[in-house]
Amino acid sequence: MLFLELALHHFAGKYESDTGVELRNLREGIATSHFSPDGLRLTGNQQIAGAPNILIEGDSHVEAFQVPDRETMGSVLERRLRAEGRRCNVLQYGWSGADGPDYVYAAPLVLERYAPSSVFLVMNSGDFGSTTTESARLIERDGEVTAQGLTPDSVRGRAPSYGGRVAKKAKESAVFYAAVLRYTLDIRYRLREHAASAQDADLQAKDGSSQNAMDLILRGLKAAYGEKLYILYTPAQPFLAESQAERQEQELLAECKARGMRCQSLRERMVEGLLAGHQLARGFPDTTPGTGHLNRHGHEMAADQIDDWLKSSH
Amino acid sequence: MVFTSLIFIKFFLAVLAVLAICRSRWQRQLAILVASVVFYGYWNAWYLFLLATPSVIDYFCALRISETEVQARRKFWLIFSVASNLGLLGYFKYTNFFVQSFAKLAGRDMPVLHILLPVGISFYTFKTMSYTIDVYRRHIEPCRSWWKYAMFVTYFPELVAGPIVRASVFLPQMTRSLKPSWPRAAVGLQLVALGFSKKLLIADRLAKFVDAVFAHPSIYSSGTIWSAVIAYSLQIYCDFSGYSDIAIGISRIIGFDLPENFNMPYSSTSITEFWRRWHITLSQWLRDYLYIPLGGNRKGKIRTYINLTITMLLGGLWHGANWTFVAWGALHGLALAAHKLWMDSGKARTWKVPRVVGWAMTYVYVCFCWVLFRAQDFSSAMLIMRKMVGIDSLGVQYIYMWLYLAIPFVVLAHLIGRYANAGVEAAVGQRKLYAPLWAERLYSGTSRFAIRPHPKAGTYALLPTNGFVLGFMLTTWAMVFYLFAALDSNPFIYFQF
């Protein structure tokens, strides 16, 4: 155990203090990430006091444990914008397991706390179905869609790390931290897979259809974020130039267009990156090529897309 | 019921419990027979009828063969047995292959017949065929008890993917008590742990990379394609030898000794040596029941080369009903013939090839052949081979970490295996190999180390059996296994054959 602890020390563990959180990850790729005490993923760039904020919000793709601070989409975008002469800060606020209703629920918090000029919401196929980790649900009343916490103590946005001094110390152990993550994210997930899929089917039936869920989410998002919102859809890695868009992706793009909401897919850039740049947007040296979270190429592609989008919309 | 599944672990623990409760040997034998039937029937109960067919036919044929001295009758029953076995195998495994190949040749469309391929049919067919042939050759006496013979045919640890155990090895062991004992279990568990590690820590991890690259080879660079091919060479080795280790380990716990199936194959310095070390029980089967009946090396040099090629070509076809497997077998057959030609020409003595060159040539050639074995069809195999030789080499560069972690382990295991086997291999000319004396001494309990004492070399189970070091190593292994073993385990590759 001691041998393993020493061997894994540089690759796993979580250090929490008043100044923020440092987290070392070896689950997909190997990277160290830093967070502010309120849960912002740091970009590694110096913040400019008083400059307008651009917020990138999303789930684990924005949380991005898998890539170092300076390779996250926010960091790349921030440097690019500043190089182009724009004085701004790019903030990244993501949390694992977040989905459509969670973003609506978190809107008051992030808008008030960060006062962003634009909000780029990074979404994917998992955001429109029912997930086991969701903390909020959408309610339609008098034609208006709002979000409600699923439990009375539901936290808006990224849940704060909990546990006492002992728990904090335990997380600093590479083996303990890796073992807990292994159980919570792999083993327990698989044990619950059957139950979850049955529950999903049940909820799906209650909801009517995914189309209905998407309708509610988009109405909720529009109401919550208004004109500040841009939706960036990150599809699964396409492996061929002619690979078809996912059903959800097609529906989302069509729905957003019909509602006058700004939405783009990263697909074309991913295909271009694959064929011209020979780069996969997803996958890490220890995972199946092309699967899992966005890697540094994927983050760079997302930053490029947001950069182009901002240029075209100004 | 895959060895690496939870259901199998529960099943095996139940089997051990029943064996411990049983009071006599025949009760234990019966328990093993019932367990084997449950094990195989778990896949599909209809398969049991198929499994019962050779169990009955070959048992009956072997008795008829032994009862008469009239050569024509003996031959008749042998042909009847072989034809029924090959007929069964041919129908279930090759009908669609031949029908579709014929349709392609004739330029016609033929419907694909829905014939379910029973798990392990290639393995148990070869096992039962060898039994009647051995009786015919008077190498063994026929088994007089049907249910003992049925137990041999259905014996679950090696039923679906080998090692291909011959009756001459298995049946004499039926006189053992089969009562679970700690000394046997201690060695058996080491082998099971080794097999699980090979499968879940290496093979299944590498499979993720290999599957992805072979699914879209056109987008990857030459370097990545080479990595994937090397990864596949390690995956198939760890997958198949891992299965064999688990099968041998489980048998060791139950009370049977199965023959080794792998002996550091990637340390071979020639293709001939490779086939002495890779899937040993199949190589020996093909040698004894195909190559030698074809004439072996007794009918001149040219005929020897042809026999080698035919044997390996059919060996390739045995693996799967696809022309890629036939081509894979043919390439190995040609390489064996070329090596034999080289050795026969006398140039091998005058022009000494350094061992490292021989090793590199062998490994690269084997890897090239693996492309045919793994690819979906010829066109993707050709695409991969083009990339391997540097044509159209641009593409995604993907460095897969698990490959570079696995390589040192496999290399180290091969080196330890070669070292441990030194002194054993001198006796290769003889049919039976004995472990070196020091290995026997280690196993006898005078040392802290348990070592695999099997006469067919393979001495790479080197775990200390007691004390603090054992606790330390077991804890570390358990933690590594818990943290890094692949959870979404694939079925063993050889299940499809």
Side-chain angles (χ1 to χ4, degrees):
Chain A
M1 288 287 271
L2 184 67
F3 167 75
L4 258 184
E5 180 66 37
L6 291 171
L8 293 179
H9 185 75
H10 291 288
F11 310 116
K14 187 176 185 182
Y15 291 80
E16 296 172 40
S17 68
D18 296 340
T19 55
V21 175
E22 181 190 277
L23 193 141
R24 294 192 308 262
N25 148 75
L26 51 51
R27 291 180 52 77
E28 283 178 279
I30 294 165
T32 302
S33 43
H34 296 92
F35 293 83
S36 68
D38 58 352
L40 281 178
R41 174 69 197 268
L42 302 182
T43 60
N45 305 321
Q46 196 68 41
Q47 295 294 290
I48 303 171
N53 290 334
I54 292 172
L55 179 70
I56 301 177
E57 189 181 347
D59 57 5
S60 49
H61 287 282
V62 175
E63 192 176 39
F65 293 143
Q66 302 78 17
V67 289
D69 295 341
R70 287 183 65 80
E71 289 178 359
T72 56
M73 61 181 88
S75 182
V76 175
L77 177 69
E78 195 168 53
R79 286 198 300 277
R80 199 154 295 175
L81 290 173
R82 288 177 185 175
E84 289 162 5
R86 286 191 61 170
R87 197 172 160 272
C88 64
N89 295 317
V90 177
L91 310 178
Q92 306 179 101
Y93 190 71
W95 64 105
S96 297
D99 57 15
D102 292 336
Y103 301 136
V104 179
Y105 189 55
L109 172 99
V110 295
L111 291 175
E112 187 195 329
R113 193 191 280 169
Y114 304 117
S117 58
S118 320
V119 177
F120 286 88
L121 190 57
V122 179
M123 300 186 87
N124 54 61
S125 62
D127 290 335
F128 302 101
S130 306
T131 63
T132 49
T133 51
E134 65 191 358
S135 56
R137 67 165 159 235
L138 297 178
I139 300 163
E140 188 177 12
R141 208 172 283 153
D142 304 329
E144 268 190 31
V145 179
T146 52
Q148 189 182 55
L150 273 178
T151 52
D153 53 345
S154 277
V155 178
R156 288 184 195 269
R158 187 186 173 89
S161 200
Y162 51 86
R165 193 174 290 179
V166 175
K168 277 186 182 174
K169 276 285 164 207
K171 284 175 194 164
E172 290 171 13
S173 152
V175 171
F176 180 81
Y177 187 66
V180 169
L181 285 186
R182 172 77 163 171
Y183 177 74
T184 52
L185 299 180
D186 291 340
I187 296 170
R188 193 178 61 174
Y189 171 74
R190 272 173 180 74
L191 291 176
R192 286 186 174 179
E193 223 165 31
H194 273 292
S197 58
Q199 196 184 25
D200 275 359
D202 199 31
L203 283 169
Q204 199 85 344
K206 277 181 195 161
D207 284 354
S209 67
S210 63
Q211 185 86 28
N212 190 24
M214 185 181 286
D215 173 61
L216 277 180
I217 290 168
L218 289 180
R219 282 165 60 196
L221 287 173
K222 193 173 181 179
Y225 293 94
E227 287 304 305
K228 292 180 176 178
L229 183 68
Y230 296 73
I231 297 174
L232 178 63
Y233 186 85
T234 51
Q237 173 68 51
F239 289 101
L240 302 164
E242 61 273 16
S243 52
Q244 291 290 308
E246 296 157 12
R247 187 181 58 83
Q248 211 135 39
E249 178 184 354
Q250 290 173 342
E251 282 176 13
L252 177 68
L253 291 171
E255 285 284 328
C256 286
K257 197 176 175 186
R259 292 159 200 268
M261 293 171 75
R262 285 169 294 205
C263 178
Q264 289 186 6
S265 167
L266 200 57
R267 174 174 299 279
E268 276 180 33
R269 207 169 284 264
M270 287 165 101
V271 171
E272 191 189 322
L274 176 68
L275 301 180
H278 305 303
Q279 289 166 346
L280 293 169
R282 290 175 184 264
F284 295 86
D286 54 348
T287 65
T288 307
T291 62
H293 289 94
L294 294 176
N295 56 29
R296 69 184 176 94
H297 300 305
H299 277 268
E300 203 174 329
M301 288 174 201
D304 286 347
Q305 182 112 350
I306 295 174
D307 187 22
D308 288 350
W309 209 350
L310 279 170
K311 275 183 206 157
S312 65
S313 59
H314 279 90
Chain B
M1 217 188 284
V2 182
F3 282 171
T4 49
S5 66
L6 203 59
I7 182 79
F8 177 78
I9 293 168
K10 287 178 190 168
F11 163 80
F12 185 59
L13 289 176
V15 171
L16 283 184
V18 172
L19 289 180
I21 294 166
C22 288
R23 289 179 169 210
S24 63
R25 186 171 65 213
W26 74 266
Q27 284 179 351
R28 289 186 202 108
Q29 288 170 344
L30 200 62
I32 293 170
L33 176 63
V34 172
S36 299
V37 168
V38 172
F39 175 82
Y40 198 62
Y42 188 81
W43 264 287
N44 186 335
W46 290 104
Y47 287 173
L48 289 172
F49 288 101
L50 208 65
L51 187 60
T53 312
S55 309
V56 174
I57 292 177
D58 293 319
Y59 171 76
F60 179 77
C61 288
L63 286 178
R64 294 286 87 80
I65 290 169
S66 69
E67 278 167 3
T68 177
E69 287 302 315
V70 182
Q71 191 55 21
R73 279 196 180 172
R74 290 168 59 82
K75 208 162 202 166
F76 169 79
W77 287 113
L78 175 70
I79 291 170
F80 183 80
S81 158
V82 171
S84 68
N85 279 305
L86 290 181
L88 216 61
L89 186 62
Y91 175 74
F92 283 97
K93 191 163 178 176
Y94 300 107
T95 304
N96 273 321
F97 170 65
F98 285 120
V99 167
Q100 294 305 319
S101 298
F102 174 75
K104 218 170 194 175
L105 268 179
R108 291 166 60 179
D109 267 348
M110 298 278 258
V112 176
L113 303 172
H114 295 288
I115 301 171
L116 214 59
L117 178 66
V119 186
I121 188 168
S122 309
F123 285 92
Y124 63 72
T125 305
F126 268 33
K127 192 162 77 168
T128 54
M129 265 165 66
S130 71
Y131 167 69
T132 39
I133 296 171
D134 280 352
V135 171
Y136 176 79
R137 288 175 175 172
R138 299 182 206 278
H139 288 173
I140 56 169
E141 284 293 311
C143 181
R144 305 276 167 198
S145 155
W146 178 79
W147 67 269
K148 279 186 181 172
Y149 178 70
M151 188 192 145
F152 157 65
V153 175
T154 60
Y155 182 59
F156 72 89
E158 43 88 16
L159 177 62
V160 290
I164 302 169
V165 184
R166 299 187 196 185
S168 57
V169 172
F170 192 88
L171 291 175
Q173 297 183 42
M174 298 285 266
T175 53
R176 294 180 178 179
S177 79
L178 304 179
K179 194 170 171 66
S181 69
W182 177 244
R184 288 191 68 84
V187 179
L189 282 172
Q190 288 176 47
L191 291 172
V192 171
L194 183 68
F196 267 75
S197 305
K198 281 180 175 176
K199 172 69 176 159
L200 296 177
L201 288 174
I202 301 180
D204 284 350
R205 286 282 180 189
L206 295 179
K208 291 174 192 295
F209 175 57
V210 172
D211 292 350
V213 174
F214 274 77
H216 302 285
S218 61
I219 66 165
Y220 293 98
S221 69
S222 286
T224 309
I225 293 281
W226 264 107
S227 308
V229 173
I230 291 170
Y232 184 65
S233 74
L234 301 189
Q235 183 205 342
I236 193 166
Y237 166 65
C238 289
D239 189 284
F240 194 17
S241 72
Y243 179 91
S244 297
D245 286 334
I246 298 172
I248 295 168
I250 285 173
S251 294
R252 189 63 67 92
I253 296 167
I254 291 174
F256 287 100
D257 290 322
L258 302 188
E260 291 295 336
N261 222 9
F262 292 87
N263 185 13
M264 324 302 151
Y266 291 137
S267 64
S268 309
T269 54
S270 73
I271 198 74
T272 309
E273 188 187 350
F274 176 79
W275 278 102
R276 284 196 195 118
R277 294 173 174 278
W278 179 272
H279 204 171
I280 297 167
T281 54
L282 175 71
S283 306
Q284 290 175 345
W285 197 101
L286 291 171
R287 179 196 65 198
D288 293 346
Y289 302 107
L290 190 58
Y291 175 69
I292 290 174
L294 280 171
N297 57 4
R298 303 186 305 277
K299 296 188 175 176
K301 286 183 179 175
I302 302 292
R303 190 59 198 275
T304 304
Y305 308 143
I306 293 171
N307 288 343
L308 274 172
T309 310
I310 293 172
T311 303
M312 291 310 294
L313 191 140
L314 291 174
L317 186 62
W318 174 86
H319 280 86
N322 195 323
W323 287 109
T324 51
F325 288 114
V326 179
W328 172 80
L331 282 180
H332 271 285
L334 288 171
L336 283 171
H339 184 247
K340 184 108 179 95
L341 178 68
W342 168 259
M343 297 303 284
D344 290 347
S345 70
K347 282 183 182 164
R349 257 170 274 146
T350 52
W351 195 24
K352 214 71 174 155
V353 178
R355 284 174 68 83
V356 67
V357 175
W359 170 81
M361 284 170 68
T362 307
Y363 182 67
V364 170
Y365 187 80
V366 166
C367 280
F368 254 93
C369 294
W370 282 139
V371 173
L372 281 165
F373 198 88
R374 175 63 181 78
Q376 300 290 329
D377 47 44
F378 270 114
S379 60
S380 61
M382 288 304 119
L383 175 68
I384 291 167
M385 285 181 173
R386 277 162 60 90
K387 291 222 171 206
M388 286 173 81
V389 296
I391 302 168
D392 193 15
S393 61
L394 287 177
V396 175
Q397 293 276 10
Y398 209 90
I399 295 170
Y400 190 62
M401 194 183 81
W402 286 102
L403 172 63
Y404 299 96
L405 286 174
I407 288 174
F409 280 100
V410 178
V411 169
L412 192 68
H414 272 63
L415 288 174
I416 292 172
R418 287 294 290 226
Y419 171 74
N421 289 349
V424 180
E425 287 173 2
V428 161
Q430 300 165 25
R431 190 56 61 88
K432 218 167 177 193
L433 304 178
Y434 292 95
L437 270 179
W438 59 267
E440 293 286 7
R441 233 182 2 253
L442 287 174
Y443 182 66
S444 66
T446 55
S447 160
R448 291 183 297 117
F449 289 91
I451 199 161
R452 192 194 287 197
H454 199 271
K456 286 265 167 62
T459 45
Y460 52 86
L462 282 161
L463 276 185
T465 52
N466 53 32
F468 173 76
V469 186
L470 173 67
F472 168 77
M473 288 186 76
L474 277 180
T475 313
T476 306
W477 176 81
M479 206 60 208
V480 167
F481 198 77
Y482 170 78
L483 286 178
F484 301 112
L487 284 178
D488 35 3
S489 177
N490 302 332
F492 288 92
I493 292 174
Y494 266 67
F495 275 23
Q496 62 184 298
F497 306 137

